[in-house]
Amino acid sequence: MFFLNRGHIRRITAALEEIEKGNLPQRINIYSKGALGRLAQVIDRVLSGLTTRINTLNKEAVKGKAILTSMVEGVIALDNDARILSLNPTGQKIFNIKKQNAEGRLFLEVIRNNDISEIIHRVLKNGEPVSSELSLVLPVQKTFKINASAIFEESIVAGCVLVIHDITQMRRLERVRSDFVANVSHELKTPLTSIKGFVETLLEGALEDKKNSREFLRIIQEHANRLESLINDLLDLASLEERGVSLRAREVNLKELADKILMSFEAQLKNKEVEASNELPENLIVKADKDKIEQVFTNLIDNAVKFNRQKGSIKIYAHELSDNKIKVLIKDSGWGIPPKDIPRIFERFYRVDKARSRALGGTGLGLSIVKHIIELHGGSIDVESSEGLGSEFSFILPK
Ligand code: ADP
């Protein structure tokens, strides 16, 4: 006789009602062999399949969210009315907006930028990706690369995703590099043009004129020397900038080293009647690369002499700092550096007065070489200056 188990029907109905509401109920667990039992077992299998699939989807969603959260690019997803669906933390940071104030609102209401809005509408209209570089003031001027692509649902454009990459630093470095190449070319060309000019003049007959030809040769020699110092400085800079450049650290007595360098400047000091005093303590020892620290003293003392006044002075002294560091100061009584130039003074080729520096045999690379060397030693460099009174360059080194 056909027999209906009301309890089983109730359990199956309750499970189906839960599914209808969008929930995933517990297994029904009816193991009888009859039609109801088989129906309950099929429902259980569907439930188990759904649970596995939902778990997988949840895991994917968590992974996707983690990727979006950690991305250095800003990501904004929009629907086909250009309403913001979501934006990641970098997106919030770039535009200085909060997720809760942005999601669900029209893009232009939240981010008042017509250029980006136009990109979004182009993508929503054509479905084609758009890539563009924009300068935005937020509040400082920055350069962004924006890639926008359509979100498709069954071949229909359902929205758009913006990926926004801050390329300010990259563009700045490109500019620094191209300025550097332009500067190097210019600096090399200037003495070369002079050398060629004077050689031509000599070949065209000036060679016979004993007095002038000597002067021309002297000028050619001066420019050749200039080329040599420039190339040497460029090679020094290149080797300091090499990745993994190594220092040959050993104990260096700073006072002895400074004395040695001052001796090598004896002629220039005498010529300018500049009084130089080395007040570094006798026993001041640091662990450093001696040749490189010698170059630091050479460049700083060279500047202190070059940019000094007649009958000026130079004083080299030191302070012990608390954290086992030493600060060495080189003070001169020269013409000083205008405040507006101080922030740029350590840049390659930056000179307060180009013509004056060149006339004194400078390349404009000395201070950037010094900065590199000191930073390679884990130290730092600084300058204080009063126009017309003098400058004081100082560097800190770990002992
Ligand atoms: P340069 O080869 O011209 O000396 P540096 O890189 O050594 O190049 O110095 C850059 C510029 O900084 C100089 O051209 C000069 O304008 C300024 N400068 C450096 N040292 C001093 C100083 N002691 N007094 C005044 N100006 C200085």
Side-chain angles (χ1 to χ4, degrees):
M1 196 188 104
F2 188 64
F3 163 75
L4 265 184
N5 182 327
R6 283 179 201 282
H8 285 178
I9 293 182
R10 241 192 331 268
R11 277 160 67 189
I12 293 172
T13 313
L16 290 173
E17 278 170 357
E18 276 301 296
I19 295 173
E20 192 184 20
K21 283 188 214 152
N23 301 327
L24 276 183
Q26 300 281 318
R27 300 289 125 78
I28 309 171
N29 293 337
I30 300 173
Y31 301 108
S32 63
K33 290 232 163 63
L36 277 186
R38 286 209 304 280
L39 177 61
Q41 284 149 31
V42 170
I43 295 175
D44 277 353
R45 279 206 296 280
V46 170
L47 278 176
S48 141
L50 277 177
T51 312
T52 315
R53 231 180 282 169
I54 287 173
N55 284 344
T56 316
L57 285 176
N58 278 344
K59 271 192 208 143
E60 290 296 318
V62 169
K63 237 194 270 171
K65 203 167 167 204
I67 292 172
L68 279 178
T69 308
S70 60
M71 272 174 80
V72 287
E73 289 91 359
V75 179
I76 304 180
L78 304 121
D79 68 9
N80 59 356
D81 290 327
R83 236 171 246 287
I84 297 178
L85 295 171
S86 68
L87 79 168
N88 72 343
T90 311
Q92 296 172 52
K93 208 161 126 205
I94 291 176
F95 296 105
N96 193 22
I97 42 174
K98 290 216 168 76
K99 196 178 166 78
Q100 57 271 30
N101 300 335
E103 287 178 355
R105 291 176 62 200
L106 288 174
F107 180 85
L108 256 188
E109 267 175 33
V110 183
I111 299 162
R112 293 178 200 281
N113 186 290
N114 286 323
D115 294 327
I116 308 181
S117 172
E118 203 181 293
I119 292 174
I120 296 168
H121 285 100
R122 251 164 64 201
V123 172
L124 292 176
K125 191 168 161 224
N126 307 325
E128 300 280 332
V130 175
S131 188
S132 181
E133 201 173 306
L134 293 179
S135 232
L136 307 176
V137 182
L138 301 163
V140 285
Q141 179 150 353
K142 288 190 163 190
T143 314
F144 293 95
K145 169 111 182 160
I146 300 190
N147 289 310
S149 27
I151 305 170
F152 287 98
E153 266 171 28
E154 290 164 12
S155 337
I156 292 173
V157 178
C160 160
V161 176
L162 298 179
V163 178
I164 304 148
H165 194 176
D166 185 349
I167 53 167
T168 317
Q169 181 70 348
M170 198 173 88
R171 288 283 175 268
R172 198 186 67 81
L173 289 176
E174 280 171 6
R175 233 180 359 259
V176 168
R177 196 180 52 195
S178 69
D179 284 356
F180 180 66
V181 172
N183 268 322
V184 170
S185 317
H186 178 76
E187 294 292 329
L188 289 173
K189 230 170 156 179
T190 314
L192 208 57
T193 311
S194 289
I195 291 173
K196 279 178 74 176
F198 282 107
V199 169
E200 250 165 54
T201 318
L202 285 171
L203 288 175
E204 276 164 13
L207 208 50
E208 319 309 326
D209 175 352
K210 277 268 177 304
K211 197 170 144 258
N212 272 334
S213 62
R214 238 194 125 67
E215 175 59 9
F216 290 173
L217 284 171
R218 196 198 53 75
I219 299 172
I220 289 172
Q221 186 186 35
E222 193 181 290
H223 287 296
N225 287 342
R226 195 176 155 61
L227 272 180
E228 191 186 25
S229 7
L230 191 64
I231 289 166
N232 284 340
D233 279 359
L234 284 170
L235 288 174
D236 283 345
L237 253 189
S239 76
L240 287 169
E241 282 178 355
E242 239 170 55
R243 254 170 216 269
V245 54
S246 62
L247 295 176
R248 276 188 287 155
R250 55 191 152 129
E251 293 198 336
V252 181
N253 182 316
L254 289 183
K255 185 180 172 67
E256 281 174 13
L257 193 60
D259 267 338
K260 179 179 150 192
I261 311 296
L262 281 175
M263 290 258 282
S264 69
F265 279 95
E266 209 181 81
Q268 289 97 314
L269 288 166
K270 215 169 186 177
N271 208 5
K272 241 181 165 171
E273 297 171 272
V274 169
E275 197 74 52
S277 62
N278 180 357
E279 294 174 22
L280 293 173
E282 301 283 347
N283 53 356
L284 181 56
I285 309 282
V286 292
K287 219 153 184 225
D289 186 315
K290 193 171 177 206
D291 294 344
K292 293 202 163 51
I293 300 299
E294 183 166 335
Q295 199 171 3
V296 167
F297 272 123
T298 306
N299 289 0
L300 292 179
I301 293 172
D302 181 37
N303 283 346
V305 181
K306 268 190 329 200
F307 301 113
N308 220 319
R309 57 181 165 81
Q310 200 68 26
K311 292 201 164 106
S313 64
I314 297 173
K315 181 170 121 178
I316 308 175
Y317 63 111
H319 291 315
E320 293 264 357
L321 301 181
S322 56
D323 41 358
N324 209 28
K325 287 182 174 163
I326 182 85
K327 183 172 185 176
V328 177
L329 304 98
I330 297 169
K331 187 179 170 72
D332 68 58
S333 60
W335 57 58
I337 304 164
K340 72 167 175 42
D341 296 297
I342 286 188
R344 301 196 57 191
I345 208 79
F346 295 100
E347 284 175 25
R348 304 142 158 184
F349 292 117
Y350 192 83
R351 284 165 283 189
V352 176
D353 181 337
K354 265 198 173 153
R356 210 165 178 181
S357 152
R358 267 202 213 113
L360 293 167
T363 61
L365 294 173
L367 285 181
S368 65
I369 291 175
V370 168
K371 185 170 190 274
H372 262 85
I373 295 177
I374 296 296
E375 286 177 356
L376 270 178
H377 281 82
S380 59
I381 180 144
D382 200 8
V383 59
E384 281 181 22
S385 188
S386 308
E387 258 185 291
L389 289 178
S391 311
E392 184 166 60
F393 282 83
S394 61
F395 58 87
I396 295 176
L397 282 178
K399 283 220 296 182

